[in-house]
Amino acid sequence: MRALTPRSRLHGERGASMVLILALITILGLCVGGIAVQGTAGMMAVQGVKNQRNDIYGAEGAIDGAINYIRNDLTRGRFGADNCPSSGTPPTIFSLPSDAGTMNVTCRSLAGSGDEIEGVNYPENAVLTTGGLPGYPVVNNSCNGDPGICLGGSNGGIMTVQGSVKSNATSASGKSIDASSNTKLDAGQDAVRATGTCTGNIIGVPVACGTGITRPDPGGGASSDPAPPSNWAAELQSMPPLAPAPTCNPISKVATMQPGSYFDRDAVLVGFTAMTTVSGKSVRVSCPVVWMKPGNYYFDYSQSTDIDPWRVGFDDASGHLYNENFGSGTDVPGSVIIGGTLSSAINPNASSSQVNAARAAVHLGLTNNNPAVPGGCDRTAPNGVQVMMAHYAAFDVKYQGMLELCPSPSSSKQQIALVGRKTDQAAPATSATFKPTGQVAPITGSGTPFAPGLSAIDGVVNTGNVNGMNKSATVTVNGYSAAGQQPTQTVGQVTVRIAHREVWNPSNSSLTISAQLNTSTGGSCTISGISKSSSLATYTKTLDDSSSPSLADCGVTSQADLVGSSVKWTVTTQNSGSPSSQVDLDGIEMDVAPRALAAKTPGSKIVWLYGDLGAHMPEIYIWGTVYAPTSRIELALYSVATTVARFGRGVVVAGLIVSNLTVNQSYAAFANASGVAHYANRKMELIAWLGGTRQLRVVIELDDTNDPSNPGKTVKIISWTAVN
C-alpha cells in the first residue's frame, strides 16, 4: 500500500494569484447583490414618476375639458348663477376618465366675475325699476302685488329685451316681475335679476328672482337728484328761460320748437298751426311734423291729473285745440315729434310738405338697427335734446302719433334723453322787485281823489277820502318794471306788498279792500279779503302755483307778464248808515322770484303709448336713456302690429306696465347701448380632484367683453398650480 505524501505549499506568484481570485469573486458577489437591490428600487421609482405623470396629465386634460365646457355657458361665472357659485361647496362641473382614475373638476366664481358694468356714458341695465326701494313709489298696475314689471296680453306675446333687467321689490317675498296671460319676458343671453319673486315665462342668463338683494338707483337716493359732477346729472340744474311759442311753416308743414320752458299746453298746440291765405281766404293750416331743435326742454303743463298729458297724435288736435276738425291721418297737428338734429331727409324750409318724408325717416329707427343710420333725428350729430317733465307732464303717443328723441352723444356722462326729477328744487331767492312808474287816480263816488305821483313804498303817503255807503275809492298804479328785469325768466313766486292805512267812521263800520293785478299780456286776478288797518302797515300776499289766486289764475308765467302791468287798489264802504273813510296808500310793490324745477309726480306716467285705434300706429323711438326713477312707463299695445315702442339706451323708472302684448315684436323694445361691454369678464377657480385629493388648481379669465356675441372667445390663465 502506497503511503500518501503531503503536497507541498505553493510559493511565489502562484499563491498570490489565488488570493486575488478569491477576493475578486467575493467582491463580485457583493456587487451583484447591490445591483439587484438598486435595480428593484429604480424600477419602483420609475413607476412612481409614471403615476405622478399620469395624475398631472389627467388633471390637465380635465381642466382643459372643463374650460372648453364652460366658456360659452354664461350660467358659469355670472353673478347670481348657481352653476358656479362664489360661496359654499363648489360643485363638480366636469369629469374625465384618465389612466390614474376619474378626474373631477370643481368651479368657484371669484369676486367681480361676470358682474354687470355701468359705463361713464351708458347705463348698466336695459330696464331698472326702482319701485320698492325706500322712498320710491310702488306703481299700481293690473298685476297682483303691483310688481315693478307687469306684462299682460294674449297669444303668447313677447317683450324682447337686449340688455340686463333688474326689478326691485319691498322684500324677497314681494313681487318684482309678473308675465301673465302667456306673455314672455325674453332677455336672451342677458341677466334678469329681481329682489322679489317672479311669475310667468322669463328668459335670461341667469334668471335670479327672490334674492332679497336690492338694485340701487344709479343716480342716488329718492330724496335727492344727481348734480354735477355726477354723470347722471341732468343738463338742467335750474329753470331755463321761457321758450317762445312754436312756429308753423304752412308750406313744409313743419313746426319748430325752441329750447326752454313750456307751461301752457294749449298755447303750444296752437303753435302747431298757422294762419295763411288760400284762394283769398284766411285759413288755419296744420303742421303735423314738429321739430324740437337741439337743446334742453322743460315741460310743466300744470294739469292736475295723470290722465290728461300732452298727447302726440289725434286726441289733442280734436280735444284740446279748438274742437275743430283738422282732418285725419297725417293732417293732425303735432302728430310727429322729432327731437334733436334733423336727418337730411327732412327740411323745415322745404317748398313742399315734409310730412311723408318725416314719417319715412322715423321708420328707419325700426328697419335699421345701426346707430350710424339716422331716422328723423341724426343719432351721430353732436347736438341732441334732453327733455325734463314735471308734475303730470308726459308724452302720450296715440293715433298716428310718432315720437323720436335723439340725445347729445357724450363720452363723459350718461346720454339721457328724458328726465323726471325726484324732488322739487329749493325755491330761488327774489331776483327782482317790480315798482310802478305811473299812476291813474280816479275816484268813484264822493270824496277827494288821490294825488298823482304814487311810486314805491317809501314812507310818503298818498291820501284820498270816500264818503257814503257802498262807495269806493280806487287808485291804479301802473307801468311796473324792475332794475335788471329779464322778461324771459320764468316766475315761480310773486309777493305783492301793499303799504296802507284806513281811518274810518263810525269806528264799527266795515270796509271791503281788494287789489286787482292786471298783467301786460291780458291776465287778471283779484286779491280779496284784505283787512283794514288803523295804522300804516304792509299787507303781504304771496302768489304761487298753490295759492288762491294762483300764478296761473293771474296769467303770470314770466317776467314779461309783469313788465308794464298795473295794480288797482279799491276800498269800499259798507252798504248801510253814513260811513266815511280816509284812505292812505304808501305804495304797492311786487317781489318776484324765479320758478324752481319741480319733481315728477310720484308714480305718474312719463311716457304713455296707446295703440287701440285699428291698424294705425303710434310709434316711439327714444334713443337716449330715460331717467325717471319715480315715474312709470305704460305701453298699451292693443295687439296692433304697427304699434312700436323702442327705448334704445335703457330706462330707469319706478315701474313698467305693458298691456296687450303682441307676438310680433321682432325688435328689442328695451335695449342697452350697443357695441360696449355690459358684463365684466368671468373669473373662476377650477380644481381638478382625483378621489378626495386635489391635483391641479387653475385660475382663469374668460373674455366676454371684446366680442359679446361670442362669450369666452379667449381664455387667460392667471395661475396654474400643481398640488402634490
Side-chain angles (χ1 to χ4, degrees):
M1 177 173 202
R2 185 179 178 180
L4 295 176
T5 303
R7 185 179 293 272
S8 60
R9 180 177 296 181
L10 296 177
H11 294 284
E13 293 181 0
R14 289 184 297 172
S17 297
M18 181 61 69
V19 172
L20 291 173
I21 291 171
L22 293 174
L24 179 60
I25 292 171
T26 303
I27 292 171
L28 288 174
L30 293 173
C31 288
V32 170
I35 290 171
V37 173
Q38 183 65 30
T40 302
M43 292 177 64
M44 294 176 64
V46 168
Q47 184 63 41
V49 170
K50 181 179 179 181
N51 290 341
Q52 186 180 31
R53 181 183 62 194
N54 289 339
D55 292 350
I56 295 298
Y57 284 172
E60 290 178 347
I63 292 292
D64 287 341
I67 291 173
N68 287 325
Y69 176 71
I70 66 174
R71 63 194 310 171
N72 292 316
D73 184 357
L74 292 173
T75 66
R76 314 282 183 175
R78 268 201 186 164
F79 175 79
D82 295 330
N83 294 336
C84 190
S86 58
S87 60
T89 302
T92 297
I93 62 166
F94 188 78
S95 297
L96 182 71
S98 71
D99 291 342
T102 299
M103 291 287 177
N104 296 315
V105 180
T106 59
C107 174
R108 182 171 69 90
S109 298
L110 302 181
S113 175
D115 283 354
E116 283 96 330
I117 296 175
E118 177 186 304
V120 172
N121 67 343
Y122 61 88
E124 179 178 308
N125 312 113
V127 179
L128 170 62
T129 61
T130 59
L133 293 174
Y136 291 81
V138 174
V139 174
N140 295 322
N141 53 56
S142 58
C143 293
N144 292 331
D146 295 329
I149 299 176
C150 173
L151 307 182
S154 59
N155 302 321
I158 302 172
M159 188 180 82
T160 304
V161 178
Q162 184 180 346
S164 62
V165 176
K166 292 183 177 178
S167 184
N168 285 283
T170 54
S171 66
S173 60
K175 186 178 286 189
S176 289
I177 303 174
D178 188 334
S180 62
S181 301
N182 201 32
T183 58
K184 181 187 299 183
L185 171 61
D186 187 354
Q189 293 294 295
D190 287 295
V192 178
R193 310 187 192 282
T195 304
T197 62
C198 302
T199 58
N201 195 344
I202 300 171
I203 299 172
V205 181
V207 175
C209 299
T211 65
I213 302 173
T214 57
R215 317 295 175 183
D217 174 357
S223 60
S224 63
D225 288 280
S230 168
N231 59 341
W232 283 92
E235 295 290 338
L236 291 177
Q237 293 295 314
S238 61
M239 183 68 65
L242 186 70
T247 56
C248 171
N249 184 327
I251 298 175
S252 67
K253 302 295 184 70
V254 177
T256 300
M257 297 182 74
Q258 304 288 339
S261 298
Y262 291 84
F263 300 99
D264 190 333
R265 175 188 53 196
D266 291 351
V268 169
L269 295 170
V270 170
F272 296 161
T273 66
M275 296 301 299
T276 189
T277 301
V278 177
S279 301
K281 294 184 178 181
S282 181
V283 297
R284 185 170 293 278
V285 176
S286 166
C287 275
V289 179
V290 176
W291 175 34
M292 298 175 67
K293 296 182 70 172
N296 300 317
Y297 290 77
Y298 179 84
F299 293 97
D300 186 357
Y301 284 158
S302 68
Q303 69 262 30
S304 58
T305 68
D306 197 31
I307 61 174
D308 194 21
W310 170 18
R311 293 191 176 97
V312 179
F314 179 76
D315 276 11
D316 263 336
S318 63
H320 284 294
L321 201 46
Y322 296 109
N323 290 321
E324 294 181 7
N325 182 10
F326 282 91
S328 61
T330 58
D331 291 332
V332 176
S335 61
V336 180
I337 310 293
I338 302 172
T341 299
L342 285 177
S343 70
S344 58
I346 306 170
N347 178 9
N349 300 314
S351 58
S352 61
S353 173
Q354 295 288 287
V355 176
N356 291 333
R359 289 185 174 276
V362 171
H363 277 298
L364 288 176
L366 174 62
T367 60
N368 197 314
N369 289 317
N370 186 348
V373 179
C377 51
D378 189 344
R379 284 173 265 173
T380 65
N383 298 312
V385 296
Q386 186 174 106
V387 178
M388 181 178 288
M389 295 289 194
H391 292 123
Y392 287 104
F395 284 117
D396 173 14
V397 186
K398 299 189 76 170
Y399 177 80
Q400 292 284 347
M402 301 176 76
L403 170 68
E404 184 176 28
L405 301 179
C406 289
S408 298
S410 173
S411 60
S412 60
K413 63 186 307 181
Q414 296 292 333
Q415 298 178 26
I416 300 174
L418 187 56
V419 180
R421 283 180 60 89
K422 293 176 277 187
T423 63
D424 290 326
Q425 194 177 54
T430 297
S431 62
T433 297
F434 279 72
K435 300 179 181 181
T437 58
Q439 171 188 338
V440 179
I443 279 286
T444 300
S446 61
T448 303
F450 288 94
L454 186 69
S455 57
I457 298 176
D458 54 8
V460 178
V461 175
N462 195 307
T463 300
N465 291 281
V466 59
N467 299 305
M469 62 180 182
N470 200 28
K471 300 298 182 182
S472 297
T474 64
V475 61
T476 300
V477 290
N478 56 22
Y480 276 87
S481 65
Q485 62 194 20
Q486 302 176 50
T488 62
Q489 186 182 80
T490 58
V491 174
Q493 188 178 84
V494 175
T495 301
V496 181
R497 293 183 290 112
I498 305 172
H500 68 106
R501 175 176 56 208
E502 294 77 36
V503 180
W504 59 94
N505 184 49
S507 59
N508 62 350
S509 63
S510 63
L511 297 173
T512 301
I513 305 173
S514 65
Q516 182 179 347
L517 170 62
N518 299 292
T519 72
S520 57
T521 51
S524 179
C525 63
T526 298
I527 302 169
S528 57
I530 302 173
S531 299
K532 61 187 180 182
S533 176
S534 59
S535 60
L536 193 63
T538 299
Y539 168 82
T540 300
K541 174 67 174 181
T542 298
L543 306 175
D544 55 25
D545 288 339
S546 59
S547 63
S548 181
S550 66
L551 286 177
D553 295 333
C554 298
V556 176
T557 300
S558 69
Q559 288 191 11
D561 299 315
L562 297 175
V563 177
S565 63
S566 65
V567 178
K568 180 182 178 181
W569 169 256
T570 302
V571 178
T572 303
T573 59
Q574 67 184 27
N575 192 22
S576 62
S578 301
S580 64
S581 178
Q582 174 184 312
V583 179
D584 296 332
L585 185 63
D586 184 356
I588 303 175
E589 297 180 353
M590 292 183 286
D591 296 328
V592 179
R595 183 181 289 269
L597 297 174
K600 195 74 177 65
T601 303
S604 64
K605 295 185 294 282
I606 192 166
V607 176
W608 188 16
L609 182 142
Y610 203 73
D612 66 338
L613 295 171
H616 300 291
M617 70 283 294
E619 299 181 29
I620 293 175
Y621 306 90
I622 299 181
W623 302 116
T625 301
V626 177
Y627 181 70
T630 60
S631 305
R632 77 182 190 270
I633 291 175
E634 189 165 340
L635 309 175
L637 301 177
Y638 278 94
S639 303
V640 179
T642 53
T643 299
V644 178
R646 297 193 69 181
F647 297 83
R649 208 174 178 88
V651 301
V652 180
V653 290
L656 170 63
I657 304 172
V658 181
S659 59
N660 291 87
L661 188 58
T662 63
V663 297
N664 44 8
Q665 278 192 336
S666 59
Y667 54 87
F670 296 88
N672 215 335
S674 60
V676 294
H678 294 294
Y679 299 91
N681 286 339
R682 289 172 289 158
K683 294 181 180 180
M684 288 171 279
E685 174 193 70
L686 303 177
I687 298 177
W689 300 77
L690 179 60
T693 305
R694 291 170 36 148
Q695 299 297 318
L696 187 63
R697 178 183 181 272
V698 180
V699 176
I700 64 170
E701 180 176 344
L702 297 175
D703 185 356
D704 297 332
T705 59
N706 288 332
D707 187 1
S709 64
N710 188 9
K713 185 175 182 179
T714 61
V715 181
K716 179 181 179 181
I717 304 298
I718 298 176
S719 66
W720 184 284
T721 307
V723 182
N724 293 326

